[in-house]
Amino acid sequence: MRLEDAERVMRNLSEAFRGRYPSGYRQVGVNLGLHLTGGEPFLNPDLLLDLVRMADRLGMPSLFVETNCFWAATDESARESLNQLKEAGLHGILISVNPFILEYVPFERTLRAIRAAREIFQANLMIYQEGFLHQIERLGVRGTIRFEDYLRTAGASSMYYAELLPMGRACYELRHLFPRHPAEDFFCMSCRAELTRPWHIHVDNYCNYMTGYCGGISLGDARRMDEICSGIELDDKPILARLVSDRGIELLYRFAVEEYGYRELRKGYISKCHLCVDIRKHIVEQTDEFVELKPEGFYRNLKAEDAVS
């Protein structure tokens, strides 16, 4: 995303926020204001600084960044990074702590970032999830640990309180953690609620407007957010039209089977989202005609499973 595109998106958001937040609102929360996330925002620290300055200039409320803390190599560098962001206008920070990040980010870096953030942002530090923070501390983990080893050490019950959403890449990478169901078990379901929710939306690096966590489904170009919010024409978005219909999952499934030769997965699905994303992945592999199935790279990086022969 170019900076000029980011500014167009932020201007649209600032208009939407106006009147909903008092001027200078700095309290942070996962469903408040604007959060900069990813991926990992600190992979491009210069861009992150530019975006924070831009958001501050536009008066964005509840401005915070989400991070996995890979960058917190030393106490000094951690404090320096966070101080720069605070001076640029950042209100707070959300630090992600869970066994999946622990596979790649040494726990010492997470603790270091938490210490620095408490010092710099004080009450505007959020830890997501604190339960995992305490669990990992009790286990005495040092460095990194493979997720499978974590489960063996902590036990499957350690994941009981995890907000693990069975959608997107998790459907493939973590499918062994969930029971499976045949496709028809989800035929009565629709995605209308998820796709029309008016809160906690995301804008990706390609300016796609996505509601909630429905990765790979674009409601339109966030640079023209007013058009999206005034109503979406579904005639040229047949995938979206089916998903928001009653029994939308069944409609999408039958469309994919009849038009694109989709075959049900042999082992079944862990959720309606698993069935939906697997169908969409199959369709994207056949054609690029559906404007709502973006970005293409989202589907390219999903792992395939064996279908029923």
Side-chain angles (χ1 to χ4, degrees), residues 195 234-235 237-246 248 251 292:
L195 292 170
L234 294 177
D235 288 346
K237 297 179 178 65
I239 303 294
L240 197 56
R242 285 173 171 82
L243 287 174
V244 299
S245 301
D246 292 337
L251 292 176
E292 65 268 47

Side-chain angles (χ1 to χ4, degrees), residues 8 12-13 15-16 207 209 219-234 236-237 240:
R8 286 181 64 185
N12 286 331
L13 288 171
E15 287 295 323
C207 298
Y209 180 106
L219 269 62
D221 190 328
R223 290 168 294 190
R224 299 191 295 274
M225 200 173 297
D226 55 334
E227 296 176 11
I228 297 172
C229 294
S230 63
I232 298 171
E233 178 56 59
L234 294 177
D236 64 342
K237 297 179 178 65
L240 197 56

Side-chain angles (χ1 to χ4, degrees), residues 13 17 20-21 29-33 35 163 165 193-202 209-214 229:
L13 288 171
F17 288 147
R20 300 190 179 200
Y21 292 88
V30 292
N31 291 315
L32 296 176
H35 58 278
E163 291 188 66
L165 304 177
E194 293 91 336
L195 292 170
T196 59
R197 59 186 274 182
W199 56 278
H200 204 134
I201 63 98
H202 292 93
Y209 180 106
M210 302 177 294
T211 57
Y213 308 104
C214 294
C229 294

